Amino acid sequence: RALSHCNYCTMDCCLNVCLLLCKGGGNTEEDEQRKRNKMIGTMIRLAKEEVRREQKILLLGAGECGKSTFLKQMRIIIGGGFKSDQVEYYQRVVHKNIHQSAASIATAMRTLGIPFSEEGFSEDLEELVSSFSEKTAPELLPPHFFPLIKRLWSDPQAMQCFDRRREFQLLDSAKYFLDRVTEVEQPDYLPSEQDIVRTRVKTTAVIEEMYPVGRINLRIIDVGGQRAERRKWISCFSDVTSVLFLASLSEYDMTLAEMQSRNRTVESLQLFKTIVGYPWFRQSSLILFLNKRDLFEEKIPKSNLADFFPEFTGTPSNIPEALDFMVLLFQGAFADSLTSSEERALFLHITCATDTDNIRKVFNNVKTTILQKHITELNLG
């Protein structure tokens, strides 16, 4: 019980040292003091080494850029996957995402003036649409909703609405889950890892997860990206090893959910410039993920980048040219944020956060290029 009164006994690795310290003993008072000083110095050194072994990565970016998806991939790649209670939770999230997607499309069809193929079907959907609330906790859908959702998703007019999805707010995973309604409605359905990665839950709190990677501890912090959530960011700014900023490539033709007049990519660029200029991160490594490459490549042939960024002078449907333009946009924002005397490196990766293999490869590159520097400083490499 003496350990509970030892002010220095804060680490398991110091247990033996603390036991000697708290027991007392020794030949003279001076010898005893020297022993105590030596033991205290040892504990402080070990404590500092333990703190330095922890590498803190802060995930930043605007809303729906893929931060939480990246964090879920980390659970799969280095965290051992999802526990049974987490899988059951995400089953309810899948149901809610399907509900939200169907309600969004049904509402948008009315707004855009697109009639259903089946007369009177809009009235049939009233309960499904009115019962959805983003603020409620995820719950399993009532069984009678599934036939309605399948009828909606099989309507060619609904697909016409889906093709105009940049004109309203719709989950990126809408098609993925609506294509799987028959599977999801089965009583024994449990989401796969890919299903879980595809789910969307708005982050409204600071989420921290710790993973051992070699001889270091990787602490990854995810925060909400919507404007209303950013006031919480500053509480996470101290002792950040690396800032990992995510920006969605595919949102160049979309507006913010919280401000319909604001282009999402413009918002992301401005936020990125602000983060780069923060004094808290002068000594932090800067990593940029240009995310959602798959959706970007799917969208470019259908939605002309120059309509939203006139400075793009490339071929309208040329994916490599469009991708190069987006990279230059963010590299320019990075350069504009540096002072005239400042030299900093930006580690940029093109990613698809829903692709586990892609994120595994990118994460290995991040470890090699960023974390190795800190491992070397600790003489652990």
Side-chain angles (χ1 to χ4, degrees):
R1 303 300 299 176
L3 286 176
S4 63
H5 301 291
C6 177
N7 293 330
Y8 306 100
C9 192
T10 59
M11 298 171 49
D12 291 341
C13 61
C14 298
L15 181 59
N16 291 333
V17 177
C18 289
L19 282 170
L20 289 172
L21 176 61
C22 297
K23 282 181 179 179
N27 296 326
T28 67
E29 186 174 342
E30 290 184 1
D31 289 341
E32 180 64 21
Q33 188 60 47
R34 280 195 294 269
K35 288 180 182 180
R36 288 179 180 272
N37 291 342
K38 184 176 180 180
M39 292 173 187
I40 291 170
T42 299
M43 284 185 288
I44 293 174
R45 177 179 57 81
L46 292 173
K48 286 182 177 179
E49 288 183 2
E50 188 69 16
V51 169
R52 291 176 64 197
R53 289 175 193 269
E54 180 181 292
Q55 307 299 304
K56 180 178 174 182
I57 294 184
L58 182 59
L59 303 182
L60 295 178
E64 300 182 62
C65 63
K67 299 186 301 298
S68 298
T69 303
F70 175 80
L71 190 60
K72 285 184 279 189
Q73 293 285 22
M74 291 296 96
R75 292 175 190 163
I76 294 171
I77 295 168
I78 57 177
F82 299 94
K83 299 177 181 178
S84 58
D85 60 329
Q86 292 174 315
V87 173
E88 291 176 2
Y89 166 73
Y90 280 110
Q91 178 191 20
R92 299 192 296 274
V93 174
V94 169
H95 278 237
K96 182 168 184 177
N97 284 177
I98 289 174
H99 191 183
Q100 180 175 358
S101 299
S104 296
I105 291 173
T107 302
M109 290 182 72
R110 295 175 185 173
T111 304
L112 299 175
I114 302 174
F116 289 100
S117 300
E118 183 182 341
E119 188 175 351
F121 187 45
S122 179
E123 288 72 24
D124 294 342
L125 291 171
E126 285 184 0
E127 181 190 0
L128 184 146
V129 172
S130 62
S131 62
F132 176 77
S133 173
E134 190 174 358
K135 296 180 180 179
T136 58
E139 296 292 344
L140 297 182
L141 281 172
H144 69 279
F145 276 5
F146 287 108
L148 291 171
I149 294 170
K150 286 189 280 189
R151 283 167 60 193
L152 167 68
W153 190 234
S154 63
D155 188 336
Q157 296 290 85
M159 294 308 300
Q160 180 184 336
C161 180
F162 177 77
D163 288 340
R164 295 174 61 180
R165 58 193 176 276
R166 76 167 187 83
E167 300 177 45
F168 61 99
Q169 303 296 328
L170 184 66
L171 297 177
D172 287 336
S173 58
K175 185 178 187 303
Y176 177 87
F177 286 123
L178 289 172
D179 283 344
R180 289 163 174 75
V181 170
T182 300
E183 174 189 348
V184 172
E185 71 174 323
Q186 301 304 314
D188 60 348
Y189 164 77
L190 287 175
S192 65
E193 285 186 341
Q194 181 59 207
D195 291 345
I196 292 174
V197 165
R198 296 270 186 168
T199 57
R200 162 69 179 162
V201 179
K202 182 179 177 180
T203 303
T204 57
V206 176
I207 299 174
E208 297 190 26
E209 298 199 1
M210 182 82 78
Y211 299 109
V213 179
R215 297 184 65 185
I216 65 170
N217 292 318
L218 195 63
R219 182 153 65 109
I220 305 177
I221 301 175
D222 178 26
V223 293
Q226 283 78 15
R227 287 185 167 192
E229 300 299 323
R230 294 175 196 169
R231 64 183 183 276
K232 303 174 185 176
W233 288 9
I234 195 169
S235 64
C236 308
F237 282 179
S238 62
D239 302 319
V240 173
T241 305
S242 301
V243 173
L244 201 167
F245 189 95
L246 287 89
S248 172
L249 287 166
S250 63
E251 295 180 347
Y252 64 89
D253 61 352
M254 300 169 65
T255 58
L256 297 178
E258 59 267 43
M259 183 184 289
Q260 297 291 326
S261 61
R262 179 73 163 175
N263 180 278
R264 290 195 183 193
T265 296
V266 171
E267 174 82 357
S268 189
L269 281 164
Q270 185 57 53
L271 183 59
F272 179 59
K273 290 175 68 173
T274 301
I275 294 299
V276 172
Y278 276 159
W280 293 281
F281 304 139
R282 294 296 184 200
Q283 303 304 316
S284 304
S285 302
L286 293 173
I287 310 165
L288 173 63
F289 282 7
L290 294 183
N291 192 33
K292 303 187 182 182
R293 179 175 186 165
D294 55 333
L295 300 179
F296 180 76
E297 293 177 348
E298 177 185 319
K299 181 179 283 189
I300 282 296
K302 303 174 184 177
S303 179
N304 188 356
L305 180 58
D307 290 343
F308 306 92
F309 289 88
E311 57 269 41
F312 174 69
T313 57
T315 307
S317 60
N318 189 297
I319 295 172
E321 289 181 10
L323 185 58
D324 287 344
F325 173 79
M326 297 297 286
V327 169
L328 288 174
L329 270 185
F330 280 88
Q331 287 178 332
F334 173 72
D336 291 344
S337 303
L338 302 179
T339 62
S340 58
S341 61
E342 191 175 7
E343 293 185 8
R344 300 182 73 183
L346 175 66
F347 299 88
L348 188 152
H349 301 272
I350 309 298
T351 62
C352 174
T354 57
D355 183 339
T356 303
D357 288 338
N358 173 252
I359 295 302
R360 181 180 286 109
K361 292 175 184 176
V362 170
F363 178 66
N364 285 335
N365 289 336
V366 168
K367 285 192 299 182
T368 301
T369 58
I370 305 299
L371 302 182
Q372 184 60 46
K373 175 173 72 73
H374 301 283
I375 296 172
T376 302
E377 290 174 355
L378 292 171
N379 295 318
L380 298 177

